[in-house]
Amino acid sequence: MPSESPAGAPATGSSVDFEKVGTDYFQQRELKKGAAGWVLLVGLGVAYVISGDYAGWNFGLAQGGWGGMFLATLLMATMYLCMCFSLAELSSMIPTAGGGYGFARSAFGPWGGFLTGTAILIEYAIAPAAIAVFIGAYCESLFGIGGWMIYLAFYIIFIAIHIFGVGEALKLMFIITAVAALALGVFLVAMVPHFDVANLLDIPVTAAAGASPFLPFGYVGVWAAIPYAIWFFLAVEGVPLAAEETKNPKRDLPRGLIGAMLVLLMFALLILIVGPGGAGANSLLTSGNPLVEALSKAYGGSTWMGSFVNLVGLAGLIASFFSIIYAYSRQIFALSRAGYLPRKLSETNKSKAPVLALVIPGIIGFGLSLTGQGDLLILVAVFGATISYVLMMAAHITLRIRRPKMDRPYRTPGGIFTSGVALVLACIAVVAGFLVDPRVVIGAAIIYGVLIAYFAFYSRHHLVAGTPEEEFAAIQKAEQALH
């Protein structure tokens, strides 16, 4: 078996071993080609994230006040915008189902690919558990039924839809997302007449350094609010995971990424200003369904608009839950197909869906949802996400410097300056979670460490030759040798 020592890996024990497999191996691991165009990809990107507009972001008000959350959102919006421009370039260069894992694999070798892919996996496996908790809160408010039965029902139903087929799943997801976006529009229009700047600043001022009505928890509150500002955008970077199911990935992936990010940016800023501005920031600090509570506070009780947003808000949560299940299955599929994770996980059924890659993380996510701690699950997802952002932006910079002549159908505006800005902000975001609850982040780091140990002691000696990511890396290596 050939051996390789990847760039950026430790000098000792850094070699990896590849095994050649037959054509039947890949025939059992095929995704459905051409299932999505760029419009569906924009819908997919918005669907990943739209639940963050309905619930979760408001916990940032309890960490930084409205001003702290606003500044944190501006910083994270800048990070995500720069990152999406950078990922648009990478996805047009390396259009494989591995997404960020494939980008880092090309820049840093197998170790870099694994570290990035598993960080993304932590993000996508945990985020549905947090969303399930919020779905339970909305169902409790709507129907008087919540808890584990709701979590289990949603996991079973939506994993089953994905097993049935990706084309049908993406189209259904697009419709659900459009309905959820309509409800956000109704909420914004309903809250505008009640907007008052004083409502934004109604959280009592603490004795923290730099505290003021704008920053009631002081300067450190801005930093502590970052994980919840990320919730406005978390997972939009998953659009490239649809690369192998996209009609024209080199054209459609950049359009999908950037289009989705612009829609999400507009919603995030409007909701953060109009929601607390109409109801009062202090009334939304710990709410499981802040948009409904904002309408109730502004209108003095239950209204048809509150009922509508509550009912359709459930669609927003479902859209993200539904689409992130798609994302984690594709990340596991790519890592498993390449041998980084157990190979059985990447086998697909007659509908070209990776069944075990859908079911096993669903079982784990359901178990985590039973904690009912949506805010803490957000921290775990954000930990994995921010680690992957650092590595993906480093990959963009590395490939620009080392491989300037690579074909780039789309080029990032600003080049490495743009990805450099995203890299610095991602490093800041990694640390921010420790300010909220260091125990949770340390727990996430331990999970990450266990996955790294699995790769170090076992799977790096059982990688698969001939996968799209490895073929791309081999072509790069050959071209580099010619120069």
Side-chain angles (χ1 to χ4, degrees), residues 128 155 158-159 162 320-329 358:
Y155 266 108
F158 289 107
I159 286 175
H162 278 293
S320 292
F321 183 77
F322 192 22
S323 54
I324 296 177
I325 287 174
Y326 169 84
Y328 76 54
S329 69
L358 286 160

Side-chain angles (χ1 to χ4, degrees), residues 8-227:
T12 303
S14 62
S15 63
V16 296
D17 302 314
F18 291 92
E19 298 175 11
K20 290 185 177 179
V21 294
T23 55
D24 60 327
Y25 178 86
F26 293 107
Q27 288 172 356
Q28 295 168 358
R29 293 163 172 81
E30 291 180 339
L31 298 173
K32 188 175 181 180
K33 309 297 182 185
W38 73 269
V39 175
L40 269 184
L41 291 179
V42 171
L44 179 63
V46 174
Y48 282 146
V49 189
I50 198 166
S51 66
D53 293 319
Y54 281 94
W57 62 269
N58 54 299
F59 297 130
L61 299 173
Q63 299 295 329
W66 185 84
M69 183 60 181
F70 179 71
L71 294 176
T73 301
L74 290 182
L75 287 171
M76 292 302 97
T78 301
M79 180 186 78
Y80 273 94
L81 198 57
C82 291
M83 185 170 70
C84 284
F85 282 128
S86 304
L87 292 179
E89 176 176 301
L90 290 169
S91 64
S92 73
M93 295 161 58
I94 312 165
T96 69
Y101 138 64
F103 309 151
R105 168 67 182 91
S106 297
F108 305 121
W111 268 96
F114 180 82
L115 291 173
T116 306
T118 47
I120 294 170
L121 186 54
I122 290 172
E123 171 193 356
Y124 289 150
I126 302 301
I131 297 168
V133 173
F134 299 135
I135 288 174
Y138 268 72
C139 287
E140 185 78 45
S141 175
L142 274 170
F143 313 118
I145 303 172
W148 71 269
M149 290 184 293
I150 293 295
Y151 308 156
L152 181 61
F154 275 86
Y155 266 108
I156 289 174
I157 291 168
F158 289 107
I159 286 175
I161 293 172
H162 278 293
I163 290 173
F164 181 70
V166 65
E168 295 77 6
L170 288 177
K171 288 169 187 172
L172 179 59
M173 173 276 304
F174 188 86
I175 294 168
I176 294 171
T177 305
V179 172
L182 173 65
L184 290 180
V186 170
F187 169 78
L188 292 168
V189 170
M191 292 299 292
V192 165
H194 299 271
F195 178 82
D196 186 337
V197 173
N199 288 336
L200 300 173
L201 311 176
D202 67 348
I203 296 175
V205 179
T206 67
S212 66
F214 184 69
L215 295 174
F217 302 102
Y219 303 127
V220 75
V222 179
W223 205 342
I226 281 176

Side-chain angles (χ1 to χ4, degrees), residues 43 103 160 166 200 206 215 237 343 365 379 400 432 441 445 448 480:
F103 309 151
V166 65
L200 300 173
T206 67
L215 295 174
E237 74 280 359
R343 297 178 189 179
L379 288 182
R400 272 291 185 106
V441 181
Y448 193 36
Q480 206 164 11

Side-chain angles (χ1 to χ4, degrees), residues 398-408 411 480:
T398 299
L399 290 174
R400 272 291 185 106
I401 293 171
R402 291 184 181 174
R403 304 287 291 152
K405 295 182 180 179
M406 281 179 68
D407 182 37
R408 290 172 168 83
R411 297 183 70 87
Q480 206 164 11

Side-chain angles (χ1 to χ4, degrees), residues 329-342:
S329 69
R330 270 46 183 183
Q331 187 65 71
I332 290 175
F333 169 83
L335 290 169
S336 166
R337 181 178 61 181
Y340 291 85
L341 294 177

Side-chain angles (χ1 to χ4, degrees), residues 403-437:
R403 304 287 291 152
K405 295 182 180 179
M406 281 179 68
D407 182 37
R408 290 172 168 83
Y410 175 88
R411 297 183 70 87
T412 301
I416 61 174
F417 173 78
T418 301
S419 50
V421 169
L423 176 61
V424 170
L425 290 171
C427 290
I428 292 171
V430 170
V431 180
F434 288 94
L435 297 177
V436 182
D437 193 326

